[in-house]
Amino acid sequence: NRHVRVAACKALGKIGDEKAINPILERFKKEDDFVARTDFISYTFGKFKTEEIFLQLLEVLKSDSSPDVRAAAARCLGDYKDKKSMEYLENSLFNDDHLIVRFYAAASMSKLGNKSTIDVLKKAANKETDELVKKGLADAMQKLEKNK
């Protein structure tokens, strides 16, 4: 049952014991329900700031079939504050077909970026057609301007 798996995932995230990382990753890789996969990322992956989880998030952002799951990964990567994710986030910002992924990619880039990131976000804003994503890009640029 998906609800039981998600509840167990949330509980492990709250406990925060790093011994749970491998079982969580194994369960995540076997999970085919996109809602459960999104919940795994939202409620568990953000609690463990490990290299294994970070690499899984990069892979998910790059190749998961569900836009909701990719969006959760993009959002979570911003909390990791690891500059290695910028390339993946930028790729999603310019190339992902789904607006929610682009929106969260921009938001995470504002958490990780510096002054040069503003130019990337401006370029994306000039190309973007969706109003929600344009608003997210404007907010991201404003946040980076404040933090200069």
Side-chain angles (χ1 to χ4, degrees):
N1 174 314
R2 173 176 54 92
H3 299 290
V4 172
R5 293 189 307 271
V6 170
C9 172
K10 287 179 184 180
L12 289 170
K14 283 183 182 178
I15 293 168
D17 187 344
E18 290 195 7
K19 290 181 211 160
I21 291 172
N22 286 335
I24 289 169
L25 283 172
E26 288 306 311
R27 181 64 241 168
F28 176 80
K29 290 174 185 174
K30 293 176 185 174
E31 187 60 60
D32 59 355
D33 183 291
F34 84 92
V35 174
R37 290 174 60 78
T38 302
D39 286 348
F40 268 75
I41 292 171
S42 299
Y43 298 114
T44 306
F45 284 15
K47 307 289 184 201
F48 298 104
K49 303 288 193 272
T50 67
E51 187 70 12
E52 299 96 337
I53 298 279
F54 178 74
L55 293 173
Q56 183 66 53
L57 287 168
L58 293 177
E59 183 60 32
V60 166
L61 180 61
K62 184 172 81 172
S63 62
D64 199 276
S65 62
S66 167
D68 293 317
V69 176
R70 292 193 310 276
R75 186 177 63 239
C76 194
L77 283 166
D79 295 334
Y80 270 70
K81 305 218 185 297
D82 189 320
K83 303 262 186 220
K84 290 182 276 188
S85 62
M86 286 297 277
E87 171 188 340
Y88 291 81
L89 292 165
E90 186 175 332
N91 183 56
S92 292
L93 180 63
F94 284 99
N95 298 310
D96 201 289
D97 292 338
H98 295 274
L99 66 100
I100 198 70
V101 179
R102 297 191 308 273
F103 177 88
Y104 281 116
S108 286
M109 288 175 75
S110 75
K111 293 179 180 182
L112 300 167
N114 55 34
K115 193 170 113 175
S116 67
T117 306
I118 294 171
D119 293 334
V120 173
L121 295 173
K122 282 182 184 175
K123 183 178 173 186
N126 289 333
K127 178 185 174 229
E128 185 57 58
T129 58
D130 183 84
E131 291 304 316
L132 175 67
V133 179
K134 284 183 179 183
K135 171 79 169 95
L137 286 160
D139 291 346
M141 287 185 275
Q142 183 178 27
K143 182 176 180 179
L144 286 166
E145 286 285 344
K146 282 183 187 177
N147 295 333
K148 272 199 224 181

